[in-house]
Amino acid sequence: MRYLSTRGHPDRKHFCEILLEGLAPDGGLYLPERYPEVNEAMLAELRKTYQDEGYAALAFKVLSLYIDDIPQTDLRAICDRTYTETAFGTSAIVPLKPLEEGVCLEALSNGPTLAFKDMAMQLLGNLFEYELDRRGAELNILGATSGDTGSAAEYAMRGKKGVRVFMLSPHGRMSPFQQAQMFSLMDENIHNIAIEGVFDDCQDIVKAVSNDLEFKRNHKIGTVNSINWARLLAQVVYYFAGYFQATSGNTEKVSFSVPSGNFGNVCAGHVARQMGLPIDRLIVATNENDVLDEFFRTGVYRVRGSADTYETSSPSMDISKASNFERFIFDLVGRDADVTRQLFADEVAIHGRFDLSKHPSFDLATRQFGFVSGKSTHADRLQTIRKVWEDHQVMIDTHTADGVKVARERRLPQENVIVLETALPIKFAETIEEALGIPPERPAKFEGIEGLPKRVHVMQADVVAVKKYINEHCHVAT
Ligand SMILES: *Cc1c(COP(=O)(O)O)cnc(C)c1O
């Protein structure tokens, strides 16, 4: 299996060559040359694998279709190390919880940081460690976070050989629980940098450092952002696991409702569907930042400036452009790299938008690729959290609430919809209290976390100072 760029660069690469990379050299995103097809016999085999041997074995088989440059026994060991009951809380790893007739939740947030990003990031940590060791190389991961991504990355990379993490966050702006999660890590290879500023300031510093190519090379700077293909691939696995749990045979179909921001999660669903997993529809749920809903309704993709990007109570979906969206558009326009390049490198980059409403392919987004969408607001979120609690005594977080709201709105009679639960309520306690008048449930292992000692370095929003800090802390022998 080799990988191409959505913008037509002639190079073809193997999995481990793109593992540690971000964008392709032409600014495109990596995708496999073709999606491996899962036929009936293979689907039956995968179902049996999940039932008899568990999630790690299923992950190994799905990943093997895409990774041909890691020996099978090593890849199997990496999957076994990653998807354990200890790390994810249950032997099913991603168990289903029924709500009402035709709607259930798939629990993706019982990993170390209580958000679905652990599903991919935990694997990435083990893949990075393996590949860096093989190359005799090191990597300094630099990132900016407003919450979920940073903690998932730190918990995945803590204690890993050859990897250091420098994570910038806006000082005092994350929820107390999120701050406690990140700052209580005492691992020497994890560096929390709290910037006196907002998330955009953190993001700007990361960009400035990454644009200094010499610094970047000399300090072996890398990222773990959501366009990383390995992250997306890891997410494909739980669509299979959800499908197998929700059905008793491979002729049945299910739909997935996915709380969406950067389009990474639902893009993994798209990949699973293209492989032949019997997914009926992919329901994209957005919050007030409705870039994606607007596209699926109108054919116009219009990115927003920071003034038009709202701070909402489902903050991990507060995006102004969906960084993985180019992957889907590439498939939608018949894998035409010239058209894709024109749409993203010319129209979006220059005019901040493109319009496919009159393009013959737009119609296919729903008819052929199964996409529909909807939007949820703060009021919807509160109401949904309340209703699910009253009707089912199940407490859901704000992002999952967006998924449930849109699933209920879009569901057709007889349709079976799996809503992806993307975080646990404890991460967003304030809104849960607003909705229910009681504090959210807290998993036992996080009891008293806010009182733990903190390891964080507070700095001005100053690129030079951040570079100096990285320089002083990145050469420690591992
Ligand atoms: C990151 C995140 C999302 C959005 O996922 P995308 O892959 O960016 O679409 C939704 N919910 C939670 C809790 C998240 O952390």
Side-chain angles (χ1 to χ4, degrees):
M1 170 65 70
R2 293 185 315 163
Y3 292 85
L4 49 68
S5 161
T6 51
R7 297 193 187 173
H9 194 282
D11 280 0
R12 294 291 179 273
K13 294 188 174 170
H14 286 276
F15 178 82
C16 289
E17 295 175 276
I18 64 170
L19 174 62
L20 305 170
E21 282 186 37
L23 295 172
D26 57 359
L29 303 186
Y30 288 112
L31 273 180
E33 281 187 307
R34 74 194 73 77
Y35 298 114
E37 196 195 326
V38 173
N39 60 23
E40 246 170 80
M42 187 144 183
L43 202 56
E45 186 197 318
L46 292 176
R47 179 185 288 275
K48 199 162 172 339
T49 301
Y50 181 51
Q51 280 167 356
D52 296 352
E53 298 173 63
Y55 191 92
L58 174 69
F60 165 67
K61 285 197 173 164
V62 173
L63 295 176
S64 297
L65 301 170
Y66 290 91
I67 303 176
D68 56 12
D69 52 353
I70 296 177
Q72 300 265 302
T73 47
D74 292 355
L75 185 59
R76 178 65 204 249
I78 288 170
C79 292
D80 286 346
R81 258 202 319 279
T82 304
Y83 297 110
T84 63
E85 187 170 343
T86 315
F88 290 94
T90 62
S91 59
I93 305 295
V94 290
L96 298 189
K97 290 189 245 181
L99 294 182
E100 63 265 16
E101 177 68 31
V103 182
C104 66
L105 297 177
E106 182 173 358
L108 303 181
S109 13
N110 295 301
T113 74
L114 309 181
F116 89 99
K117 292 189 170 68
D118 290 329
M119 294 302 305
M121 212 67 98
Q122 288 285 312
L123 181 77
L124 207 66
N126 286 323
L127 285 169
F128 273 27
E129 183 175 53
Y130 175 85
E131 182 60 16
L132 289 168
D133 179 55
R134 201 157 68 158
R135 293 185 193 182
E138 293 185 7
L139 189 69
N140 293 302
I141 293 168
L142 175 63
T145 188
S146 53
D148 291 341
T149 310
S151 54
E154 291 188 353
Y155 279 73
M157 303 296 166
R158 63 188 294 200
K160 293 279 188 287
K161 286 192 290 292
V163 188
R164 271 170 236 99
V165 177
F166 296 87
M167 192 57 66
L168 277 48
S169 59
H171 184 45
R173 285 175 190 259
M174 289 189 298
S175 76
F177 184 84
Q178 286 177 320
Q179 294 186 40
Q181 265 190 324
M182 284 176 59
F183 302 164
S184 64
L185 290 181
M186 293 295 148
D187 306 76
E188 249 182 65
N189 70 328
I190 302 298
H191 299 275
N192 288 303
I193 302 176
I195 296 289
E196 308 265 17
V198 295
F199 173 67
D200 279 337
D201 298 316
C202 301
Q203 187 106 304
D204 288 345
I205 295 171
V206 170
K207 276 189 202 145
V209 175
S210 305
N211 287 340
D212 181 344
L213 295 182
E214 196 185 324
F215 184 88
K216 192 177 171 194
R217 193 175 47 239
N218 289 342
H219 294 80
K220 305 183 175 65
I221 303 286
T223 60
V224 286
N225 50 26
S226 84
I227 56 159
N228 182 290
W229 166 255
R231 273 182 70 177
L232 204 137
L233 178 57
Q235 294 170 353
V236 172
V237 179
Y238 56 66
Y239 283 87
F240 281 84
Y243 174 79
F244 293 142
Q245 291 179 86
T247 58
S248 47
N250 296 333
T251 51
E252 294 172 46
K253 286 197 163 192
V254 298
S255 298
F256 286 88
S257 174
V258 187
S260 294
N262 273 316
F263 205 75
N265 199 352
V266 75
C267 192
H270 163 70
V271 171
R273 194 176 182 278
Q274 292 305 103
M275 291 169 74
L277 186 68
I279 295 175
D280 188 4
R281 303 195 299 166
L282 290 164
I283 303 169
V284 177
T286 73
N287 65 18
E288 291 87 338
N289 297 291
D290 58 353
V291 184
L292 293 166
D293 181 43
E294 183 174 83
F295 174 78
F296 287 108
R297 276 188 297 105
T298 65
V300 175
Y301 179 62
R302 181 174 59 90
V303 307
R304 316 284 159 86
S306 42
D308 299 314
T309 307
Y310 309 110
E311 269 187 46
T312 76
S313 47
S314 43
S316 297
M317 292 155 56
D318 292 349
I319 55 99
S320 48
K321 66 186 219 284
S323 54
N324 272 290
F325 195 49
E326 183 169 334
R327 289 193 159 108
F328 170 65
I329 292 295
F330 180 70
D331 285 345
L332 182 68
V333 299
R335 302 205 128 204
D336 188 326
D338 291 329
V339 172
T340 308
R341 185 174 359 87
Q342 194 209 329
L343 291 174
F344 285 91
D346 300 340
E347 299 193 28
V348 171
I350 296 163
H351 306 293
R353 71 199 295 277
F354 61 70
D355 181 354
L356 288 185
S357 63
K358 306 219 164 45
H359 193 281
S361 74
F362 175 58
D363 205 32
L364 302 178
T366 298
R367 269 198 309 123
Q368 184 181 322
F369 292 96
F371 276 93
V372 284
S373 70
K375 166 182 175 174
S376 164
T377 65
H378 182 69
D380 295 324
R381 225 164 276 139
L382 295 179
Q383 202 199 355
T384 306
I385 291 168
R386 226 175 271 140
K387 187 99 177 70
V388 169
W389 178 244
E390 282 164 8
D391 293 353
H392 310 287
Q393 290 75 54
V394 172
M395 209 184 265
I396 56 172
D397 100 292
T398 52
H399 306 76
T400 308
D402 292 332
V404 170
K405 187 265 181 182
V406 175
R408 285 176 170 167
E409 192 175 77
R410 289 281 175 269
R411 181 176 169 266
L412 303 170
Q414 314 304 325
E415 191 176 24
N416 275 319
V417 183
I418 299 175
V419 180
L420 298 185
E421 177 193 66
T422 55
L424 291 196
I426 183 72
K427 297 196 90 168
F428 306 97
E430 210 179 303
T431 310
I432 302 301
E433 296 221 39
E434 186 182 347
L436 301 179
I438 53 169
E441 302 148 348
R442 177 183 290 248
K445 62 181 170 182
F446 292 100
E447 220 45 79
I449 185 178
E450 288 91 343
L452 293 176
K454 293 190 169 57
R455 192 165 167 270
V456 56
H457 190 73
V458 181
M459 296 180 77
Q460 299 290 313
D462 174 3
V463 179
V464 176
V466 171
K467 278 183 177 169
K468 182 160 175 281
Y469 184 89
I470 293 173
N471 187 47
E472 284 163 2
H473 292 85
C474 77
H475 296 300
V476 189
T478 45

mmCIF file of all heavy atoms in Angstrom, residues 347-371:
data_model
loop_
_atom_site.group_PDB
_atom_site.id
_atom_site.type_symbol
_atom_site.label_atom_id
_atom_site.label_comp_id
_atom_site.label_asym_id
_atom_site.label_seq_id
_atom_site.Cartn_x
_atom_site.Cartn_y
_atom_site.Cartn_z
ATOM 1 N N GLU A 347 -8.910 28.573 -4.439
ATOM 2 C CA GLU A 347 -10.140 29.224 -3.978
ATOM 3 C C GLU A 347 -10.177 29.435 -2.459
ATOM 4 O O GLU A 347 -10.408 30.544 -1.993
ATOM 5 C CB GLU A 347 -11.345 28.441 -4.482
ATOM 6 C CG GLU A 347 -11.333 28.434 -6.006
ATOM 7 C CD GLU A 347 -12.628 27.962 -6.618
ATOM 8 O OE1 GLU A 347 -13.672 28.136 -5.968
ATOM 9 O OE2 GLU A 347 -12.596 27.432 -7.731
ATOM 10 N N VAL A 348 -9.923 28.390 -1.680
ATOM 11 C CA VAL A 348 -9.985 28.569 -0.223
ATOM 12 C C VAL A 348 -8.856 29.481 0.250
ATOM 13 O O VAL A 348 -9.074 30.399 1.037
ATOM 14 C CB VAL A 348 -9.927 27.218 0.531
ATOM 15 C CG1 VAL A 348 -9.771 27.446 2.031
ATOM 16 C CG2 VAL A 348 -11.189 26.412 0.267
ATOM 17 N N ALA A 349 -7.645 29.239 -0.256
ATOM 18 C CA ALA A 349 -6.502 30.027 0.214
ATOM 19 C C ALA A 349 -6.675 31.505 -0.118
ATOM 20 O O ALA A 349 -6.295 32.373 0.666
ATOM 21 C CB ALA A 349 -5.211 29.482 -0.382
ATOM 22 N N ILE A 350 -7.269 31.801 -1.278
ATOM 23 C CA ILE A 350 -7.368 33.207 -1.685
ATOM 24 C C ILE A 350 -8.714 33.826 -1.303
ATOM 25 O O ILE A 350 -8.768 34.912 -0.744
ATOM 26 C CB ILE A 350 -7.122 33.334 -3.208
ATOM 27 C CG1 ILE A 350 -5.679 32.893 -3.519
ATOM 28 C CG2 ILE A 350 -7.345 34.775 -3.684
ATOM 29 C CD1 ILE A 350 -5.427 32.581 -4.969
ATOM 30 N N HIS A 351 -9.797 33.099 -1.590
ATOM 31 C CA HIS A 351 -11.122 33.701 -1.356
ATOM 32 C C HIS A 351 -11.821 33.168 -0.106
ATOM 33 O O HIS A 351 -12.925 33.606 0.232
ATOM 34 C CB HIS A 351 -12.025 33.443 -2.570
ATOM 35 C CG HIS A 351 -11.413 33.906 -3.860
ATOM 36 N ND1 HIS A 351 -11.199 35.242 -4.128
ATOM 37 C CD2 HIS A 351 -10.940 33.224 -4.929
ATOM 38 C CE1 HIS A 351 -10.625 35.349 -5.325
ATOM 39 N NE2 HIS A 351 -10.449 34.136 -5.826
ATOM 40 N N GLY A 352 -11.202 32.174 0.552
ATOM 41 C CA GLY A 352 -11.803 31.644 1.768
ATOM 42 C C GLY A 352 -13.049 30.810 1.538
ATOM 43 O O GLY A 352 -13.788 30.517 2.481
ATOM 44 N N ARG A 353 -13.302 30.427 0.314
ATOM 45 C CA ARG A 353 -14.502 29.631 0.050
ATOM 46 C C ARG A 353 -14.414 28.931 -1.298
ATOM 47 O O ARG A 353 -13.621 29.304 -2.151
ATOM 48 C CB ARG A 353 -15.752 30.521 0.055
ATOM 49 C CG ARG A 353 -15.842 31.452 -1.147
ATOM 50 C CD ARG A 353 -16.777 32.609 -0.916
ATOM 51 N NE ARG A 353 -18.174 32.230 -0.731
ATOM 52 C CZ ARG A 353 -19.035 31.979 -1.719
ATOM 53 N NH1 ARG A 353 -18.654 32.024 -2.979
ATOM 54 N NH2 ARG A 353 -20.288 31.691 -1.440
ATOM 55 N N PHE A 354 -15.228 27.898 -1.465
ATOM 56 C CA PHE A 354 -15.535 27.419 -2.812
ATOM 57 C C PHE A 354 -16.990 26.994 -2.858
ATOM 58 O O PHE A 354 -17.638 26.802 -1.824
ATOM 59 C CB PHE A 354 -14.577 26.311 -3.269
ATOM 60 C CG PHE A 354 -14.573 25.044 -2.442
ATOM 61 C CD1 PHE A 354 -15.652 24.163 -2.438
ATOM 62 C CD2 PHE A 354 -13.446 24.712 -1.689
ATOM 63 C CE1 PHE A 354 -15.621 22.988 -1.694
ATOM 64 C CE2 PHE A 354 -13.413 23.542 -0.929
ATOM 65 C CZ PHE A 354 -14.505 22.682 -0.935
ATOM 66 N N ASP A 355 -17.481 26.878 -4.065
ATOM 67 C CA ASP A 355 -18.900 26.610 -4.248
ATOM 68 C C ASP A 355 -19.047 25.432 -5.201
ATOM 69 O O ASP A 355 -18.736 25.536 -6.381
ATOM 70 C CB ASP A 355 -19.554 27.868 -4.829
ATOM 71 C CG ASP A 355 -21.055 27.679 -5.035
ATOM 72 O OD1 ASP A 355 -21.555 26.549 -4.829
ATOM 73 O OD2 ASP A 355 -21.711 28.676 -5.401
ATOM 74 N N LEU A 356 -19.503 24.301 -4.662
ATOM 75 C CA LEU A 356 -19.700 23.125 -5.515
ATOM 76 C C LEU A 356 -21.187 22.911 -5.827
ATOM 77 O O LEU A 356 -21.564 21.866 -6.344
ATOM 78 C CB LEU A 356 -19.147 21.865 -4.839
ATOM 79 C CG LEU A 356 -17.624 21.694 -4.734
ATOM 80 C CD1 LEU A 356 -17.279 20.324 -4.148
ATOM 81 C CD2 LEU A 356 -16.943 21.844 -6.094
ATOM 82 N N SER A 357 -22.016 23.907 -5.493
ATOM 83 C CA SER A 357 -23.467 23.683 -5.611
ATOM 84 C C SER A 357 -23.876 23.340 -7.039
ATOM 85 O O SER A 357 -24.822 22.592 -7.252
ATOM 86 C CB SER A 357 -24.242 24.888 -5.092
ATOM 87 O OG SER A 357 -23.944 26.029 -5.878
ATOM 88 N N LYS A 358 -23.132 23.866 -8.030
ATOM 89 C CA LYS A 358 -23.506 23.568 -9.416
ATOM 90 C C LYS A 358 -22.627 22.478 -10.024
ATOM 91 O O LYS A 358 -22.779 22.110 -11.188
ATOM 92 C CB LYS A 358 -23.391 24.850 -10.251
ATOM 93 C CG LYS A 358 -24.194 25.978 -9.632
ATOM 94 C CD LYS A 358 -24.896 26.831 -10.631
ATOM 95 C CE LYS A 358 -25.975 27.665 -9.947
ATOM 96 N NZ LYS A 358 -25.492 28.311 -8.663
ATOM 97 N N HIS A 359 -21.684 22.014 -9.231
ATOM 98 C CA HIS A 359 -20.770 20.973 -9.722
ATOM 99 C C HIS A 359 -21.515 19.627 -9.700
ATOM 100 O O HIS A 359 -22.220 19.322 -8.734
ATOM 101 C CB HIS A 359 -19.540 20.932 -8.810
ATOM 102 C CG HIS A 359 -18.388 20.146 -9.348
ATOM 103 N ND1 HIS A 359 -18.353 18.779 -9.290
ATOM 104 C CD2 HIS A 359 -17.239 20.531 -9.949
ATOM 105 C CE1 HIS A 359 -17.216 18.351 -9.838
ATOM 106 N NE2 HIS A 359 -16.524 19.398 -10.242
ATOM 107 N N PRO A 360 -21.366 18.823 -10.762
ATOM 108 C CA PRO A 360 -22.124 17.568 -10.815
ATOM 109 C C PRO A 360 -21.829 16.637 -9.631
ATOM 110 O O PRO A 360 -22.666 15.797 -9.279
ATOM 111 C CB PRO A 360 -21.677 16.921 -12.134
ATOM 112 C CG PRO A 360 -20.512 17.713 -12.625
ATOM 113 C CD PRO A 360 -20.576 19.050 -11.979
ATOM 114 N N SER A 361 -20.670 16.789 -8.994
ATOM 115 C CA SER A 361 -20.331 15.851 -7.916
ATOM 116 C C SER A 361 -21.032 16.174 -6.599
ATOM 117 O O SER A 361 -21.141 15.325 -5.729
ATOM 118 C CB SER A 361 -18.811 15.812 -7.711
ATOM 119 O OG SER A 361 -18.400 16.980 -7.059
ATOM 120 N N PHE A 362 -21.522 17.409 -6.425
ATOM 121 C CA PHE A 362 -22.069 17.774 -5.115
ATOM 122 C C PHE A 362 -23.210 16.849 -4.691
ATOM 123 O O PHE A 362 -23.320 16.419 -3.535
ATOM 124 C CB PHE A 362 -22.532 19.234 -5.082
ATOM 125 C CG PHE A 362 -23.195 19.578 -3.770
ATOM 126 C CD1 PHE A 362 -22.511 19.427 -2.571
ATOM 127 C CD2 PHE A 362 -24.513 20.010 -3.724
ATOM 128 C CE1 PHE A 362 -23.117 19.706 -1.351
ATOM 129 C CE2 PHE A 362 -25.124 20.284 -2.509
ATOM 130 C CZ PHE A 362 -24.432 20.135 -1.326
ATOM 131 N N ASP A 363 -24.030 16.539 -5.673
ATOM 132 C CA ASP A 363 -25.148 15.640 -5.478
ATOM 133 C C ASP A 363 -24.719 14.277 -4.896
ATOM 134 O O ASP A 363 -25.484 13.629 -4.189
ATOM 135 C CB ASP A 363 -25.714 15.439 -6.892
ATOM 136 C CG ASP A 363 -27.159 15.068 -6.832
ATOM 137 O OD1 ASP A 363 -27.815 15.536 -5.903
ATOM 138 O OD2 ASP A 363 -27.585 14.271 -7.683
ATOM 139 N N LEU A 364 -23.494 13.872 -5.216
ATOM 140 C CA LEU A 364 -23.016 12.554 -4.794
ATOM 141 C C LEU A 364 -22.696 12.499 -3.291
ATOM 142 O O LEU A 364 -22.631 11.421 -2.721
ATOM 143 C CB LEU A 364 -21.754 12.170 -5.570
ATOM 144 C CG LEU A 364 -21.875 12.140 -7.094
ATOM 145 C CD1 LEU A 364 -20.525 11.782 -7.722
ATOM 146 C CD2 LEU A 364 -22.937 11.142 -7.535
ATOM 147 N N ALA A 365 -22.478 13.676 -2.695
ATOM 148 C CA ALA A 365 -22.108 13.686 -1.272
ATOM 149 C C ALA A 365 -23.149 12.911 -0.473
ATOM 150 O O ALA A 365 -22.811 12.120 0.405
ATOM 151 C CB ALA A 365 -21.999 15.125 -0.761
ATOM 152 N N THR A 366 -24.403 13.124 -0.795
ATOM 153 C CA THR A 366 -25.464 12.376 -0.124
ATOM 154 C C THR A 366 -25.796 11.085 -0.853
ATOM 155 O O THR A 366 -25.836 10.019 -0.253
ATOM 156 C CB THR A 366 -26.725 13.260 0.002
ATOM 157 O OG1 THR A 366 -26.388 14.387 0.815
ATOM 158 C CG2 THR A 366 -27.863 12.493 0.646
ATOM 159 N N ARG A 367 -25.998 11.162 -2.161
ATOM 160 C CA ARG A 367 -26.482 9.981 -2.906
ATOM 161 C C ARG A 367 -25.490 8.837 -2.916
ATOM 162 O O ARG A 367 -25.832 7.684 -2.770
ATOM 163 C CB ARG A 367 -26.812 10.378 -4.352
ATOM 164 C CG ARG A 367 -28.265 10.813 -4.522
ATOM 165 C CD ARG A 367 -28.700 10.777 -5.958
ATOM 166 N NE ARG A 367 -27.780 11.487 -6.832
ATOM 167 C CZ ARG A 367 -27.179 10.936 -7.877
ATOM 168 N NH1 ARG A 367 -27.398 9.679 -8.191
ATOM 169 N NH2 ARG A 367 -26.359 11.661 -8.618
ATOM 170 N N GLN A 368 -24.225 9.145 -3.115
ATOM 171 C CA GLN A 368 -23.231 8.075 -3.209
ATOM 172 C C GLN A 368 -22.438 7.889 -1.923
ATOM 173 O O GLN A 368 -22.127 6.770 -1.535
ATOM 174 C CB GLN A 368 -22.281 8.367 -4.377
ATOM 175 C CG GLN A 368 -21.274 7.245 -4.597
ATOM 176 C CD GLN A 368 -20.331 7.571 -5.750
ATOM 177 O OE1 GLN A 368 -20.737 8.146 -6.751
ATOM 178 N NE2 GLN A 368 -19.064 7.226 -5.591
ATOM 179 N N PHE A 369 -22.112 8.987 -1.254
ATOM 180 C CA PHE A 369 -21.239 8.884 -0.083
ATOM 181 C C PHE A 369 -21.997 8.884 1.246
ATOM 182 O O PHE A 369 -21.400 8.729 2.295
ATOM 183 C CB PHE A 369 -20.197 10.003 -0.108
ATOM 184 C CG PHE A 369 -19.200 9.849 -1.241
ATOM 185 C CD1 PHE A 369 -19.375 10.521 -2.446
ATOM 186 C CD2 PHE A 369 -18.108 8.999 -1.112
ATOM 187 C CE1 PHE A 369 -18.465 10.366 -3.500
ATOM 188 C CE2 PHE A 369 -17.198 8.836 -2.150
ATOM 189 C CZ PHE A 369 -17.378 9.517 -3.349
ATOM 190 N N GLY A 370 -23.317 9.082 1.183
ATOM 191 C CA GLY A 370 -24.154 8.885 2.368
ATOM 192 C C GLY A 370 -24.128 9.996 3.409
ATOM 193 O O GLY A 370 -24.589 9.804 4.526
ATOM 194 N N PHE A 371 -23.583 11.160 3.050
ATOM 195 C CA PHE A 371 -23.479 12.225 4.057
ATOM 196 C C PHE A 371 -24.770 13.029 4.212
ATOM 197 O O PHE A 371 -25.401 13.389 3.218
ATOM 198 C CB PHE A 371 -22.348 13.194 3.690
ATOM 199 C CG PHE A 371 -20.997 12.721 4.145
ATOM 200 C CD1 PHE A 371 -20.184 11.976 3.302
ATOM 201 C CD2 PHE A 371 -20.544 13.013 5.413
ATOM 202 C CE1 PHE A 371 -18.941 11.530 3.726
ATOM 203 C CE2 PHE A 371 -19.294 12.574 5.843
ATOM 204 C CZ PHE A 371 -18.493 11.832 5.002
#
